[in-house]
Amino acid sequence: MSIGRAGMKVSLVPRTAEHVRICWKATQDEEIRKRIPLQDISLEEALRQFEASRQPDATSFGMCIEADGDYVGDVWCYGIDEAGEEMAMFSFLVFEKRLWGRGVGSQAARLFCQEAFSRYAIRKLGAFAYAENISSLKALEKVGFLEKERFLEEGKLSVYLEWSKPSASGP
């Protein structure tokens, strides 16, 4: 699954334990942690969560983002609820700073959201971003997420957005 922009090929590939290790190490960077709401977990917990996501009854699913064949981030959904609210939460992270603001996040989000809607019986995806992270907000909006709410969380202004599944019937 891939899409290109300005000569850059963005694709999504299956995650491995090695990807989890690389991503966990990258997310220890202070600049990344300031921009993205992340759980403060150990590498062992990250690997445990990855293994849990591979089980048949998993409520999370993720893939790796590659740009021109290089592993540069992750995209995932969690809290998948097919029976009740028919929704999941969505998140993405491009940890390769040289690619920030170059469209990689929005391309990966578009590919992944299409995959999530086809893979799971959900009607919408929710996402959180810090209000000051304009690049993430723009990437989410490009894909079709709409702002629903702004709120303070742990002293930071956060934004909640949603994307509803496109109607099969059309206008």
Side-chain angles (χ1 to χ4, degrees):
M1 149 184 329
S2 66
I3 190 170
R5 176 183 174 230
M8 187 177 348
K9 181 181 177 187
V10 174
S11 17
L12 301 181
V13 298
R15 292 179 83 215
T16 66
E18 184 57 24
H19 289 120
V20 174
R21 287 182 186 89
I22 293 167
C23 186
W24 183 87
K25 184 175 181 188
T27 59
Q28 302 313 296
D29 180 274
E30 189 175 320
E31 188 176 3
I32 289 173
R33 295 190 80 76
K34 279 195 238 178
R35 293 175 176 256
I36 313 262
L38 292 167
Q39 288 181 308
D40 193 17
I41 60 173
S42 67
L43 173 58
E44 292 74 21
E45 177 61 17
L47 288 165
R48 190 197 67 70
Q49 288 180 7
F50 165 68
E51 287 303 326
S53 76
R54 297 172 47 152
Q55 301 308 309
D57 61 345
T59 59
S60 65
F61 169 70
M63 297 186 82
C64 294
I65 303 169
E66 288 189 349
D68 290 338
D70 294 327
Y71 174 47
V72 299
D74 283 346
V75 61
W76 61 95
C77 59
Y78 58 96
I80 301 167
D81 178 3
E82 294 180 280
E85 293 189 44
E86 297 177 335
M87 76 169 292
M89 296 302 297
F90 167 79
S91 194
F92 72 97
L93 166 67
V94 175
F95 57 72
E96 186 59 54
K97 295 176 189 176
R98 68 182 169 77
L99 297 176
W100 288 357
R102 297 201 43 216
V104 173
S106 59
Q107 292 177 62
R110 182 173 289 109
L111 289 168
F112 186 84
C113 290
Q114 291 168 353
E115 175 71 17
F117 281 133
S118 68
R119 183 181 284 251
Y120 299 103
I122 57 175
R123 293 179 301 107
K124 64 184 175 180
L125 291 166
F128 291 101
Y130 290 140
E132 65 191 36
N133 191 341
I134 303 300
S135 292
S136 285
L137 289 172
K138 284 183 179 179
L140 290 166
E141 289 169 353
K142 275 185 197 176
V143 174
F145 281 85
L146 301 174
E147 182 177 324
K148 297 293 185 179
E149 178 184 3
R150 286 182 177 241
F151 57 94
L152 276 177
E153 184 173 32
E154 297 180 14
K156 288 195 98 152
L157 185 60
S158 295
V159 181
Y160 173 71
L161 306 96
E162 283 184 354
W163 183 23
S164 295
K165 185 177 185 175
S167 171
S169 60

